[in-house]
């Protein structure tokens, strides 16, 4: 178990005084409005009152941006066993077989439920259309609104959520920390409502569904909210985190100076797009026999290697052979994106390169979605369930969010007794010493951190740079972590520093290459020493 050096970690980022702060009670607090949080809230609402909070508007999440699809066995020619085998193969020895089986077998039921709540999956002649993605041995990735699958799923979940009278939603509510009482049980959270008031939400059960950590990297597909807040607050509260060295890089994001790193979905390669270098050479078969459909980590590394070999800053995705009309209908988001940069896909190739995409590790939970802290659950990208192992199979994450959202919601609801009055919590008081010893530009720290993580804890890693990264982060922590901030930008910066250090340390400790974690100094897998998880906790 890895422990971060104590000096820079304090229990709460902001002062807490439960006697004077504005407060209310709820049976279940759900933090996050992505697929996992929405699904969890719907489940818990069957038993008690639920408060669902999101730090931005309800539709700002990785979920809303998800493009390609969700994996599910719906065709009689396909089988659960094949989907399980594909997931295990991609996970490189670290998947939990029972969890993989549990998640994959629940997919058809949960897809059916989504359809009944209003999600529209794309169909051909009335049959749900499915496509291939890298690592899948069968075309089982179904999609909605062409390449806006996350939005399609969230719309169905939101419709259902809005029909649940016991759910209250609070947008623009930034959760700063989880509250734990003297018995170390989670009893809710302290947050900040946009406009400037601190607020305590006491909760019998709390579910963390705060999503990923892509914004720790300069190059990322993730929207601004993915700053690893949930991982950091769970860590401060004493939760066990694991597999933080496994950050998945997406091979193909749009590379145009000044443009956001929009994802160019993998399904394009599934449907025949070819990766070429600046001379038009299709290089993928030189790196893997599956070519464009090799697993993501292989394609990302191949692109980076090829960029080094050819001295290029990017490569190209070639879809000039696609039927343009079909492309516009099937991939409306990417079609519009290319148009907006004057890329005519029938004549021009799309400039792409890899960027940070998906946090495979997270808060360790059991098969009930429970963390090691009583009354605290986690689901979705923030959680580490054991489904992905050392690498995530494409389109398995929306599925995991649905399945574990439901499980966490059910587990949290169990034991809530509406007939009993809310438990009185003992007062919590935590004062944070004010420190003004240095003036701080948090935006500058964030940018420097993101550049550092991209350079040193990116697609290819090595010991000396990982150690150097930890030293640099510790130095920054010395003057950032002692501050008391009064807005999300500061708390996010503190959270990012905490999780970045843990990621660099975990990556240093895994002296082998496995899944998405590639060590240039240890390029092979080492099953003797590393067929295990690396766990981190600040608790004694
Ligand atoms: C561009 C893109 C494309 C993708 N495409 C696919 C795909 O095709 N198929 C697939 O399976 N997966 C895809 N993924 C991955 C997938 O979208 C995510 O893994 C999944 O949506 C995560 O869902 P979630 O509910 O765990 O978190 P999210 O959807 O990220 O939601 C996190 C929520 O937590 C809230 N939150 C965070 N911190 C705080 C805080 N401090 N206080 C209050 N609220 C907070 C946010 O406001 C947000 O509501 C894609 C991801 C990206 C970025």
């Amino acid at each position: 178990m890895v422990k971060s050096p104590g000096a820079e970690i304090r229990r709460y980022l902001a002062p807490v005084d439960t006697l004077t702060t504005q407060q209310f009670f709820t049976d279940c607090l759900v933090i996050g409005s992505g697929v996992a949080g929405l699904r969890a809230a719907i489940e818990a609402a069957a038993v008690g009152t639920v408060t669902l909070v999101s730090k931005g508007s309800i539709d700002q999440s990785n979920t809303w941006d998800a493009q390609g699809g969700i994996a599910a066995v719906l065709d009689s020619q396909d089988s659960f066993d094949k989907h399980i085998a594909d997931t295990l193969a991609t996970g490189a020895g670290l998947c939990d077989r029972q969890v993989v089986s549990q998640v994959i077998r629940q997919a058809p039921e949960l897809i059916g439920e989504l359809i009944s709540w209003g999600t529209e999956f794309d169909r051909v002649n009335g049959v749900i259309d499915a496509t291939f993605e890298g690592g899948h041995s069968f075309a089982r990735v179904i999609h909605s609104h062409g390449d806006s699958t996350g939005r399609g799923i969230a719309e169905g979940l939101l419709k259902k959520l809005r029909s649940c009278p016991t759910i209250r939603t609070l947008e623009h509510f930034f959760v700063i920390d989880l509250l734990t009482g003297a018995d170390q049980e989670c009893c809710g959270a302290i947050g900040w409502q946009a406009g400037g008031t601190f607020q305590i939400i006491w909760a019998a059960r709390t579910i963390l569904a705060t999503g990923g950590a892509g914004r720790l990297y300069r190059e990322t597909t993730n929207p601004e909210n993915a700053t690893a807040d949930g991982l950091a607050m769970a860590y401060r509260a004493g939760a066990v985190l694991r597999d933080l060295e496994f950050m998945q890089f997406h091979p193909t994001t749009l590379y145009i100076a000044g443009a956001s790193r929009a994802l160019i979905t993998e399904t394009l390669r599934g449907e025949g797009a070819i990766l070429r270098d600046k001379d038009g050479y299709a290089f993928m078969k030189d790196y893997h026999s599956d070519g464009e459909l090799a697993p993501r980590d292989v394609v990302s590394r191949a692109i980076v290697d090829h960029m080094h070999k050819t001295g290029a800053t990017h490569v190209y995705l070639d879809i000039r052979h696609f039927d343009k009309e079909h492309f516009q209908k099937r991939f409306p988001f990417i079609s519009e994106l290319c148009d907006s940069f004057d890329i005519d896909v029938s004549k021009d190739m799309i400039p792409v390169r890899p960027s940070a995409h998906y946090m495979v590790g997270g808060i360790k939970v059991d098969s009930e979605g429970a963390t090691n802290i009583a009354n605290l659950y986690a689901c979705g990208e923030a959680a580490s369930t054991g489904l992905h192992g050392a690498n995530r199979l494409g389109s398995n994450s929306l599925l995991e969010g649905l399945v574990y959202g439901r499980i966490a919601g059910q587990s949290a609801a169990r034991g809530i007794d509406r007939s009993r009055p809310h438990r009185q919590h003992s007062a919590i008081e935590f004062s944070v010493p004010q420190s003004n010893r240095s003036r701080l530009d948090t935006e500058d720290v964030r940018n420097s951190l993101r550049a550092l993580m991209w350079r040193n804890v990116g697609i290819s890693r090595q010991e000396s740079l990982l150690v150097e990264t930890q030293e640099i982060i510790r130095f920054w922590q010395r003057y950032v972590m002692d501050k008391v901030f009064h807005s999300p930008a500061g708390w996010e910066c503190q959270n990012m520093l905490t999780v970045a250090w843990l990621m660099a340390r975990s990556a240093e400790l895994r002296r082998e290459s496995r899944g998405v974690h590639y060590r240039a100094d240890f390029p092979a897998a080492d099953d003797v020493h590393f067929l295990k998880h690396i766990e981190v906790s600040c608790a004694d």
Side-chain angles (χ1 to χ4, degrees), residues 33 35-36 55 62-63 67-69 175 229 358 381 395 397-398:
S33 63
V35 58
K55 71 175 173 179
N62 282 18
T63 296
Q67 294 180 3
V175 175
D229 300 337
Y358 182 82
E381 194 168 336
S395 291
S397 44
L398 288 170

Side-chain angles (χ1 to χ4, degrees), residues 101 142 332 355 358 404 434 478 522 534:
S101 172
I142 62 171
S355 62
Y358 182 82
Y404 265 84
Q434 291 281 348
R478 292 215 306 258
F522 297 98
I534 292 177

Side-chain angles (χ1 to χ4, degrees), residues 1 231 234 239-244 361-367 369-373 376-378 382-386 533-536:
M1 185 88 79
L231 303 188
V240 174
L241 274 52
R242 72 172 178 190
D243 294 343
L244 297 185
I363 304 154
K364 183 180 171 185
V365 295
D366 63 16
S367 57
T371 70
N372 60 308
I373 297 179
L376 178 66
Y377 302 81
S384 170
T385 62
H533 299 279
I534 292 177
E535 299 190 344
V536 302

Side-chain angles (χ1 to χ4, degrees), residues 240-417:
V240 174
L241 274 52
R242 72 172 178 190
D243 294 343
L244 297 185
E245 66 277 30
F246 296 124
M247 167 58 78
Q248 186 180 65
F249 295 86
H250 197 285
T252 52
T253 43
L254 184 68
Y255 184 68
I256 294 181
S260 69
R261 298 290 178 256
L263 183 130
I264 306 292
T265 177
E266 181 155 357
T267 39
L268 268 180
R269 276 177 287 126
E271 296 189 15
I274 301 165
L275 280 163
R276 297 187 188 277
D277 64 19
K278 61 182 183 334
D279 298 321
Y281 177 62
F283 56 88
M284 267 315 299
K285 287 273 185 200
D286 296 352
Y287 294 88
H288 196 281
S289 55
D290 288 344
E292 273 73 7
L293 289 184
R296 282 182 183 175
D297 57 308
V298 176
V299 181
S300 291
R301 261 197 319 281
I303 292 174
V304 169
D305 282 358
H306 204 71
M307 279 162 43
H308 284 154
K309 269 186 208 156
T310 55
T313 53
H314 58 278
V315 295
Y316 294 92
L317 203 56
D318 184 3
I319 56 168
R320 289 173 296 182
H321 51 293
F322 278 29
D323 176 81
K324 196 169 172 185
E325 227 172 90
H326 171 72
F327 169 73
Q328 283 165 338
K329 237 168 98 192
R330 172 74 180 84
F331 299 100
F333 173 80
I334 299 172
S335 173
E336 260 179 50
L337 184 71
C338 289
D339 281 350
S340 72
F341 288 102
D342 265 348
I343 297 172
D344 177 350
V345 294
S346 62
K347 295 192 195 110
D348 307 318
M349 297 192 289
I350 307 169
V352 292
R353 74 175 195 178
S355 62
H357 184 54
Y358 182 82
M359 173 40 94
V360 175
I363 304 154
K364 183 180 171 185
V365 295
D366 63 16
S367 57
E368 304 285 296
T371 70
N372 60 308
I373 297 179
N375 300 331
L376 178 66
Y377 302 81
C379 52
E381 194 168 336
S384 170
T385 62
L387 172 69
H388 307 304
N391 191 2
R392 173 189 68 127
L393 182 65
S395 291
N396 266 359
S397 44
L398 288 170
L399 176 60
E400 186 195 41
L402 274 185
V403 173
Y404 265 84
R406 174 163 79 167
I407 290 172
Q410 279 169 349
S411 306
R414 216 171 292 133
I416 290 178
D417 184 353

